[in-house]
Amino acid sequence: MKITVITVGKIKEKYLKDAIAEYSKRLSKYCKLEMIEVADEKTPDAASENVERQIRQKEGERILKYIKEDSYVITLEIGGAMLDSVAFAKKIENLGIQGKSHITFIIGGSIGLGEDVLKKSDYALSFSKMTFPHQLMRVILLEQIYRGYRIVAGEPYHK
């Protein structure tokens, strides 16, 4: 299976880059992983809803360029479905059983995803009602994908 993770913005912190590299290496045993970063827009302090919508639209246009037609798209959204690790593993496994060979996860920027990206989504996933930095979500997502593959394979993974 191919997993693509499309994210808004660059990672600057070394510790996050190191964690992403570690999980990317671990995942190479289970899937072909592709990480795509698109440029983020500067969001002014106290931006109006209209300005934020325009920013999400610009970032969304960049994201949409990388979504392949044959891909099953999962957007990370606060209002999405919350799954435990076993259910998440089952979701990935079932997509493979249904013949989906490419899953694209999308992590938006600091103000979320644009409407056009949300319309492309096949499934909205939430990791928590809490808000996490979008850079940190990359690490959390990769860890859960790795955990999911370990669960599906019946391999041990610390709890």
Side-chain angles (χ1 to χ4, degrees):
M1 177 165 298
K2 181 175 181 182
I3 302 281
T4 300
V5 179
I6 303 174
T7 62
V8 174
K10 297 239 180 270
I11 297 280
K12 297 173 189 80
E13 298 83 357
K14 183 182 180 328
Y15 72 97
L16 292 173
K17 287 181 181 179
D18 290 348
I20 289 166
E22 177 62 27
Y23 282 110
S24 296
K25 184 176 89 176
R26 290 182 187 191
L27 278 165
S28 67
K29 176 181 173 184
Y30 302 99
C31 65
K32 183 178 183 322
L33 179 66
E34 176 183 35
M35 300 289 291
I36 298 171
E37 290 180 338
V38 301
D40 58 347
E41 291 289 316
K42 180 81 174 122
T43 304
D45 291 337
S48 68
E49 179 51 43
N50 190 42
V51 168
E52 286 189 356
R53 185 180 47 73
Q54 290 172 350
I55 290 169
R56 285 191 296 269
Q57 181 181 349
K58 284 181 188 174
E59 291 174 348
E61 289 168 3
R62 294 177 190 137
I63 290 168
L64 291 170
K65 290 179 189 174
Y66 292 99
I67 298 175
K68 303 286 189 258
E69 283 304 313
D70 68 337
S71 179
Y72 185 88
V73 178
I74 298 176
T75 47
L76 273 62
E77 304 176 42
I78 289 176
M82 282 199 260
L83 306 175
D84 64 21
S85 296
V86 173
F88 181 68
K90 199 65 122 167
K91 176 82 177 163
I92 292 172
E93 180 182 36
N94 287 339
L95 287 170
I97 291 168
Q98 294 166 10
K100 305 287 184 195
S101 60
H102 187 188
I103 301 172
T104 299
F105 291 91
I106 301 175
I107 302 172
S110 60
I111 58 171
L113 293 166
E115 283 300 313
D116 290 342
V117 174
L118 297 175
K119 287 178 188 168
K120 255 327 225 183
S121 178
D122 295 304
Y123 190 80
L125 177 66
S126 175
F127 278 78
S128 173
K129 291 184 189 284
M130 294 181 190
T131 302
F132 295 104
H134 55 281
Q135 297 93 336
L136 182 58
M137 274 311 303
R138 296 180 206 193
V139 177
I140 296 169
L141 174 63
L142 291 177
E143 189 280 334
Q144 284 298 301
I145 294 169
Y146 174 68
R147 184 180 296 266
Y149 276 112
R150 300 282 297 192
I151 290 168
V152 167
E155 298 171 351
Y157 192 86
H158 70 279
K159 294 180 177 158

